[in-house]
Amino acid sequence: MKCHALYADDPITPQTHCLIYAVPIHFSDPSTCMGCGTCQRKCPLKLPVAGLIKAAKHGTLVPIKIQKACIRCNACGYFCKAGIDTMRYIISQ
Ligand code: SF4
Ligand code: SF4
């Protein structure tokens, strides 16, 4: 089964199995980052996640090159002890 965000002009077809209404996700606060570096140690691509989260505190956007490189495995966020949704910061800007 595949999932994707539904937009107002998307067709509803017999192949549509489920519709879920949800509000946009509010990412956890990057200011809670402790700078431990676990996120980038766990990243299989060794992307500089900790530095990007630190930069996010100051409103700096993630470079497109990094966004495209991320394979969206969520290892960074899974291991973050501060509970920051790091992957969302990486891919959503
Ligand atoms: S794992 Fe979480 S707390 Fe540690 S550096 Fe990465 S974002 Fe910050
Ligand atoms: S989601 Fe992206 S940044 Fe996070 S661990 Fe996976 S590849 Fe690295």
Side-chain angles (χ1 to χ4, degrees):
M1 187 167 71
K2 293 181 179 177
C3 299
H4 66 88
L6 189 67
Y7 298 98
D9 56 349
D10 281 351
I12 307 298
T13 70
Q15 285 72 43
T16 303
H17 296 289
C18 179
L19 295 175
I20 298 172
Y21 174 79
V23 295
I25 296 169
H26 296 286
F27 306 141
S28 49
D29 185 358
S31 69
T32 60
C33 174
M34 302 173 285
C36 65
T38 302
C39 48
Q40 59 192 53
R41 283 196 299 277
K42 296 294 183 181
C43 176
L45 303 178
K46 301 301 176 204
L47 296 177
V49 185
L52 294 167
I53 296 300
K54 185 177 179 182
K57 290 182 188 177
H58 307 291
T60 304
L61 300 179
V62 175
I64 295 291
K65 183 178 169 185
I66 301 280
Q67 291 182 42
K68 288 185 174 177
C70 174
I71 59 173
R72 304 177 184 209
C73 65
N74 199 33
C76 52
Y78 181 82
F79 287 101
C80 176
K81 291 182 178 69
I84 300 170
D85 191 355
T86 53
M87 186 185 77
R88 292 291 165 193
Y89 277 103
I90 302 298
I91 66 174
S92 299
Q93 297 176 356

